[in-house]
Amino acid sequence: MARRTMALIPHWSSRVFAVELDGAAFYFATREKHRGEEAPRVFREVQNNARCYSLLVCSGDRIRRAKFYAELKDTLLRDLPPQCHLSSMSSFLPNVRGSLLKGYFLKDTSESSSPTERLLRDLSQHDPVFVCSYSKCEDDRLWTQHLWSHADSPTTEMSKDHYVVPSEEPEYHPSTLNIINSDVFYSFEEACDVLKKCGDIIPEALSVLELLPSRAAARSKPDFPVIVIEGLDATGKTTLTESLRDALGASLLRSPPQCLSPMRPRFDQEPPLIRRAFYALGNYITAEQIGQEAMRTPVIVDRFWHSTAAYAIATAVSGQVCNLPAEGSEVYCWPSDLLQPSLVVLLTLDPEERKRRLRDRGQGKTEEEQELDQNKLFRLKVEKAYQRISGPACVAVDASPSADQVLQQVLLLIRGKCHL
């Protein structure tokens, strides 16, 4: 903890802080001297009797950091006074990858600060968090930030108060600084490394590692075409993939592969870093299966890396669609060590028609599917991420006609692009 703290302290005054309120990020920074700026909006709206605090998770071990961040919210919701309002926040060095620290911003309107500060003091002394308190100056327009000392940290540098000032919105949304090999994995080794480090705390991780190929399959061109069918639930993927299998005499595979089904419930409960590594490795297991099948027959794949990446990116990036990495960003590039399909078809469907089909199914929904139904913005971000992934890019096909019409349209695409 001490090394991590001392590494961050020299950069503290260069950091930007972002508080998420109602789906939007509000930015502020700190300065030793005030230059007459108005207080950042997040503080202007604080009630007179409220006290503000922030917690940023700072462990150098990213597995521990991910686990603790997920558990911290439960701790705060359980132990803080009911008058405390909790918002997500982050701290980062503008445009510096790997600099993102995640945490929470508190507004406490309870009568006494003692219960809140007692909990925060205990966290700052025993857990991997930076705690800051914020105080209004005699001039109501001014606020200061006080970084609490940690038991293992040099107090002289941390005890100095800084003025809180507005900060411009950064060129890149802060969450995009953390996507590479954290929310989305771009190599077999990176994803494998995460699960190896989880072996002592998640027994199922060892079971997954035993199922993995010894290394990522070489990215050589398969003997037969590999066609991936993507799309949100209820767009007709299952019907289409089975029809393509029969029409082309092809093999049909699904990602994540069936062999991982017993482990999915456990990993779906884990923080994003661990959960995404698990699903990334599922793609590499599927790739090995594709390589074997494509030596003797065409292969149809129900979802692959596009799904893994699109959902992860949409989940990681908060706020509006414009916060997503721009088209052409490296986050949309296909992993260099993952088997590349010959064609990727993205089935699209009017949102209301998709909801009707889901109702007709009467099936239980995944957490992400519930989010798609309830949150139009999340759906738009998933769809935009799908459209921006390259190497190969998706070819969109309208799934609203009859199943046979969609099949014939996709067969024409396959014959044109894959020469089948």
Side-chain angles (χ1 to χ4, degrees), residues 329-373:
S329 167
E330 60 185 334
V331 306
Y332 301 119
C333 294
W334 192 267
S336 60
D337 62 355
L338 184 63
L339 183 143
Q340 193 171 17
S342 315
L343 173 66
V344 180
V345 174
L346 175 63
L347 297 179
T348 62
L349 194 62
D350 175 78
E352 291 306 314
E353 171 62 15
R354 197 179 69 84
K355 283 185 180 181
R356 185 192 65 76
R357 292 186 184 184
L358 282 169
R359 286 195 298 271
D360 291 347
R361 279 184 181 184
Q363 296 176 342
K365 299 176 185 177
T366 64
E367 184 177 334
E368 285 181 332
E369 188 55 42
Q370 290 175 348
E371 178 75 5
L372 283 172
D373 273 2

Side-chain angles (χ1 to χ4, degrees), residues 216-365:
R219 192 175 155 174
S220 55
K221 188 175 181 181
D223 295 334
F224 284 85
V226 176
I227 297 100
V228 174
I229 307 299
E230 292 280 6
L232 305 181
D233 281 3
T235 52
K237 293 188 306 301
T238 300
T239 300
L240 177 60
T241 53
E242 292 175 353
S243 298
L244 288 171
R245 175 195 60 196
D246 298 339
L248 299 173
S251 296
L252 174 56
L253 298 172
R254 291 183 171 86
S255 185
Q258 184 64 33
C259 63
L260 292 185
S261 293
M263 283 81 90
R264 285 183 69 178
R266 173 58 191 268
F267 282 96
D268 281 344
Q269 299 173 11
E270 293 298 327
L273 173 71
I274 299 169
R275 184 168 71 249
R276 300 304 181 188
F278 167 76
Y279 281 105
L281 291 172
N283 286 324
Y284 286 96
I285 295 174
T286 299
E288 185 181 43
Q289 296 172 347
I290 292 171
Q292 294 168 354
E293 294 295 324
M295 289 191 290
R296 54 181 178 269
T297 181
V299 179
I300 308 299
V301 189
D302 187 339
R303 287 189 165 171
F304 199 33
W305 190 81
H306 284 74
S307 286
T308 309
Y311 277 89
I313 292 167
T315 302
V317 180
S318 61
Q320 300 300 310
V321 176
C322 61
N323 290 340
L324 291 173
E327 190 168 2
S329 167
E330 60 185 334
V331 306
Y332 301 119
C333 294
W334 192 267
S336 60
D337 62 355
L338 184 63
L339 183 143
Q340 193 171 17
S342 315
L343 173 66
V344 180
V345 174
L346 175 63
L347 297 179
T348 62
L349 194 62
D350 175 78
E352 291 306 314
E353 171 62 15
R354 197 179 69 84
K355 283 185 180 181
R356 185 192 65 76
R357 292 186 184 184
L358 282 169
R359 286 195 298 271
D360 291 347
R361 279 184 181 184
Q363 296 176 342
K365 299 176 185 177

Side-chain angles (χ1 to χ4, degrees), residues 17-269:
F17 303 84
V19 178
E20 300 281 342
L21 296 174
D22 299 322
F26 295 89
Y27 299 95
F28 66 90
T30 60
R31 288 205 190 111
E32 289 189 30
K33 295 182 179 180
H34 197 265
R35 302 172 187 170
E37 299 96 336
E38 190 176 11
R41 181 175 169 183
V42 69
F43 294 99
R44 293 202 302 271
E45 298 178 356
V46 173
Q47 299 173 23
N48 286 334
N49 64 332
R51 295 167 297 278
C52 296
Y53 307 89
S54 61
L55 299 91
L56 293 167
V57 181
C58 56
S59 171
D61 180 334
R62 67 176 183 157
I63 303 296
R64 186 185 180 206
R65 187 163 69 243
K67 293 283 283 185
F68 183 77
Y69 175 72
E71 294 163 358
L72 179 59
K73 185 174 184 179
D74 293 335
T75 299
L76 294 173
L77 290 174
R78 182 186 68 238
D79 296 340
L80 283 171
Q83 297 85 356
C84 275
H85 177 76
L86 197 65
S87 303
S88 296
M89 77 171 297
S90 60
S91 170
F92 57 96
L93 296 170
N95 306 331
V96 178
R97 186 194 294 174
S99 67
L100 186 73
L101 299 177
K102 297 170 69 176
Y104 300 98
F105 185 81
L106 312 180
K107 286 193 284 189
D108 182 8
T109 59
S110 54
E111 290 186 4
S112 171
S113 64
S114 297
T116 298
E117 296 207 352
R118 192 180 306 119
L119 172 62
L120 299 186
R121 184 68 63 186
D122 186 61
L123 286 169
S124 71
Q125 294 300 311
H126 301 102
D127 293 296
V129 291
F130 282 144
V131 177
C132 292
S133 54
Y134 299 85
S135 303
K136 186 183 288 188
C137 302
E138 289 184 10
D139 182 341
D140 283 352
R141 296 175 303 164
L142 306 182
W143 284 73
T144 58
Q145 178 197 70
H146 178 75
L147 179 59
W148 292 12
S149 64
H150 188 279
D152 297 329
S153 303
T155 57
T156 53
E157 292 188 60
M158 299 184 72
S159 60
K160 192 171 186 178
D161 289 2
H162 289 75
Y163 289 104
V164 176
V165 298
S167 178
E168 292 184 2
E169 185 172 336
E171 180 182 359
Y172 302 108
H173 191 271
S175 55
T176 65
L177 302 173
N178 210 40
I179 286 177
I180 304 290
N181 291 322
S182 181
D183 293 294
V184 183
F185 286 86
Y186 297 83
S187 80
F188 176 81
E189 293 300 331
E190 288 282 355
C192 200
D193 183 60
V194 170
L195 259 63
K196 285 178 180 176
K197 291 177 179 176
C198 292
D200 58 339
I201 55 174
I202 306 175
E204 290 85 350
L206 301 176
S207 301
V208 175
L209 293 171
E210 290 173 359
L211 294 170
L212 295 177
S214 57
R215 59 183 178 82
R219 192 175 155 174
S220 55
K221 188 175 181 181
D223 295 334
F224 284 85
V226 176
I227 297 100
V228 174
I229 307 299
E230 292 280 6
L232 305 181
D233 281 3
T235 52
K237 293 188 306 301
T238 300
T239 300
L240 177 60
T241 53
E242 292 175 353
S243 298
L244 288 171
R245 175 195 60 196
D246 298 339
L248 299 173
S251 296
L252 174 56
L253 298 172
R254 291 183 171 86
S255 185
Q258 184 64 33
C259 63
L260 292 185
S261 293
M263 283 81 90
R264 285 183 69 178
R266 173 58 191 268
F267 282 96
D268 281 344
Q269 299 173 11

